[in-house]
Amino acid sequence: MPAIRILSDRVANQIAAGEVIERPAAVVKELVENSLDAGATRVEVEFRHGGRSLVRVEDNGRGMSRDDALLCLERHATSKLVETADLDHLGTFGFRGEALPSIASVAHFELQTRPADAPAGTEVLVNGGKLVHVRACGLAPGTRITVSHLFNSVPARRKFLKTDATESAHIIQTVRLYALACPQTAFTLIEDGRVLFQSPVCTTLAERVGEIFGRQLAADLLEVDLAETGLKLQGLIGPPGVNRATRHEMLMFVNRRPVDSRTLNYALIESYATSLAKGRYPVAVLFLDLDPAAVDVNVHPAKREVRFRSEGAVRGFVIRAVLQRLREFGLPRQGGSGEPKPTASPAAAEPMPGDPVRPVAPQPAVPSVMSQPFRPFTSLPARPAAALPPPAQLSSATIEHRKSRIETPATLMAWRFLGTAHGDYALFEAPGGIVVLDRRAAHERIWFERLQEQFSRGEAASQRLLFALPVELDAIASALLVDRLKFLQQHGLEVGEFGRNFFRIEAVPVWLEPADAEMFLRDVIGLMREGRLDEKRTDLAHEELARLAAQKAVRLPSSLNEADALALVSQLFACRQPHTSPAGRPTHFELGRGELARRFQR
Ligand code: ADP
Ligand code: MG
């Protein structure tokens, strides 16, 4: 057995770096937090190649003396925490004194800093944890930290990095979060020399949300503001019907710190209840403030997770606050009949090819959102599951196509359609028992495979809109979109740029309702932000896009006759993976004859 030894600081730092600095976005997070802790009113973040070749964060905060500049690179050197008890009333983002030494141990690290009262700045250069030089430098008061060649000395880490697009998406999301957390600080974000986002000092959260999400969306959001003993919730939430395919715009802060809390996420989603379809996420920027002693932020190395001393109380409070606001606004009454869905624009009323029956019936359970003066298309309520618009099934041509191509298994031919139940389910008698089929899941599977095939063949039938639909996006979304206009066009969605952050949807894929076009576009941008539509990996991109598109394409006929039901079954079983929906839900299950006999104790 080798003798026990204390790890050298350099090794200890590299190990800590493994926990705190898992990717370039973590560097950005730690540096921006430090800038904010230093009282900066201006923070500029620049990065290149997804942050792997460069991350630079510059602020006009209080800066450091020469001694502090050296000390801050020592492990556990912090100006923010002295006693463990201080953890209970922390007003800063940082407190462990781990970030800087960790980053410096796995990169080329240059620190330049100057307090306002010092005649000159100090420059410290560290490479892979080794001090290279310390010298005076010229600099405006504040701090500039430049991190390059991240993980060069730790190839194992480097291997775990995703594509530049993905890493860049994480950085952008991180900066958005802190920009929202601190509206009074001006932010600039620069990627590969291009300004992605720039927001001056804002006086209100709403202003900053407008800068980040686009003014049009910001104007549609509802303000939440509720305080109870020891708990305060403030912020903005989307009205019912404004929702997204990803959690990207569901942003939560606890005592100003961006967090990822299951408790809060669930509470928010639960509050929307039936107005939010499964797999959709609300838009929200919510700040929960409570006694720091009632929350533990020291659970996770990156401090993203938090634990509440009283999870139940927090959850109940958030639900009350959000629900109260949604109620004031008018939530859909379950089963009640609301106003008919307005015909949003002449384009929406145009019949679509392959759309045998147009949804013209008034929609039950449309939230009274519609009575609000909303711009058409931006805020159409999500279709509640029970109120899906009628028909527009797969065209008979498609059915023929499928039938001629694939042998229907003999057993399927023996299925007998019994009827539908609770709208979404179709019941069949099969030789082995009774089959319950989730029509939505089945349709999604069929659409998914069909669209995937179309995409990979480069086929994209699209329908030009009579009136182009204007869309305003935030700066980052615009930058992402501008790069992918051609990609979208190849998939049937034609979007034109007409001014800074303003776009027009000019043509939509034939399977997409024009009324859903804006939401679809925003969802697609959500995928882009997550790096999930990487053009270099077309198969994956097609899969992601088809998964999203399938949800939009499905319009369940309200009634189902035997022929359609059996056609649906045969199309489903002609799929490569008939047993699950693209999202992984089961499409059907069978109650075996044996099970039936057992239940009836035969
Ligand atoms: P922590 O933030 O947990 O204290 P860090 O390693 O992130 O630990 O930073 C160490 C110390 O360096 C901080 O406590 C702070 O005193 C100082 N520091 C870091 N970044 C800055 C900055 N941008 N401006 C002023 N001081 C800074
Ligand atoms: Mg810190």
Side-chain angles (χ1 to χ4, degrees), residues 400-418:
E400 285 315 313
H401 169 70
R402 287 277 173 183
K403 269 190 187 154
S404 59
R405 203 164 56 94
I406 291 140
E407 288 269 314
T408 312
T411 45
L412 283 180
M413 302 300 284
W415 283 26
R416 194 161 65 80
F417 178 56
L418 300 175

Side-chain angles (χ1 to χ4, degrees), residues 30 34 80 94 99:
E30 295 294 341
N34 283 345
K80 302 167 194 173

Side-chain angles (χ1 to χ4, degrees), residues 229-424:
T229 34
L231 292 165
K232 192 162 86 178
L233 189 72
Q234 285 180 302
L236 298 162
I237 57 171
V242 174
N243 53 63
R244 300 287 181 259
T246 66
R247 287 172 198 271
H248 257 98
E249 288 173 17
M250 190 170 129
L251 310 174
M252 309 279 208
F253 302 78
V254 171
N255 293 341
R256 219 167 54 117
R257 187 189 296 283
V259 296
D260 194 5
S261 152
R262 285 168 72 91
T263 306
L264 294 183
N265 287 347
Y266 278 144
L268 181 64
I269 290 172
E270 252 176 86
S271 309
Y272 280 85
T274 48
S275 69
L276 196 66
K278 217 169 167 219
R280 304 289 304 180
Y281 301 93
V283 177
V285 184
L286 284 176
F287 292 83
L288 176 71
D289 286 302
L290 73 174
D291 178 1
V295 42
D296 187 359
V297 288
N298 203 12
V299 198
H300 186 256
K303 310 186 192 102
R304 274 300 303 232
E305 274 168 43
V306 290
R307 217 171 274 150
F308 299 107
R309 205 146 289 171
S310 169
E311 298 272 332
V314 168
R315 184 172 153 269
F317 170 68
V318 171
I319 293 180
R320 270 199 303 286
V322 174
L323 212 54
Q324 182 184 320
R325 188 63 185 93
L326 290 176
R327 286 232 181 84
E328 280 165 26
F329 187 73
L331 261 181
R333 288 139 293 172
Q334 239 174 335
S337 64
E339 306 98 287
K341 181 178 173 178
T343 305
S345 91
E350 280 300 294
M352 311 269 284
D355 220 347
V357 192
R358 292 288 308 166
V360 283
Q363 272 200 313
V366 170
S368 58
V369 176
M370 301 319 302
S371 58
Q372 301 290 321
F374 273 142
R375 288 199 36 219
F377 293 121
T378 57
S379 314
L380 281 184
R383 305 188 191 106
L388 287 158
Q393 325 168 30
L394 297 177
S395 66
S396 50
T398 322
I399 297 170
E400 285 315 313
H401 169 70
R402 287 277 173 183
K403 269 190 187 154
S404 59
R405 203 164 56 94
I406 291 140
E407 288 269 314
T408 312
T411 45
L412 283 180
M413 302 300 284
W415 283 26
R416 194 161 65 80
F417 178 56
L418 300 175
T420 55
H422 301 295
D424 275 7

Side-chain angles (χ1 to χ4, degrees), residues 143-172:
T143 301
R144 177 195 296 147
I145 292 181
T146 312
V147 177
S148 48
H149 310 296
L150 184 63
F151 298 139
N152 255 10
S153 53
V154 203
R157 279 264 129 211
R158 219 176 153 80
K159 266 201 301 224
F160 278 103
L161 294 183
K162 302 283 189 319
T163 60
D164 284 3
T166 305
E167 296 304 334
S168 142
H170 282 280
I171 292 178
I172 293 169

Side-chain angles (χ1 to χ4, degrees), residues 30-31 34-35 37-38 59 61-64 68 72 77-80 93-101 113 143 145 303:
E30 295 294 341
L31 298 184
N34 283 345
S35 296
D37 283 346
D59 66 55
R62 74 181 65 92
M64 285 177 270
D68 281 351
C72 76
T78 176
S79 53
K80 302 167 194 173
F93 289 114
F95 54 80
R96 294 201 197 106
E98 267 179 348
L100 295 186
T113 187
T143 301
I145 292 181
K303 310 186 192 102

Side-chain angles (χ1 to χ4, degrees), residues 3 14 29 252 338 366 397 412 501 514 525 528 532 571 587:
Q14 286 185 344
K29 169 187 175 292
M252 309 279 208
V366 170
L412 283 180
N501 300 348
I525 295 170
M528 289 173 178
R532 283 158 64 184
Q571 287 172 58
T587 51

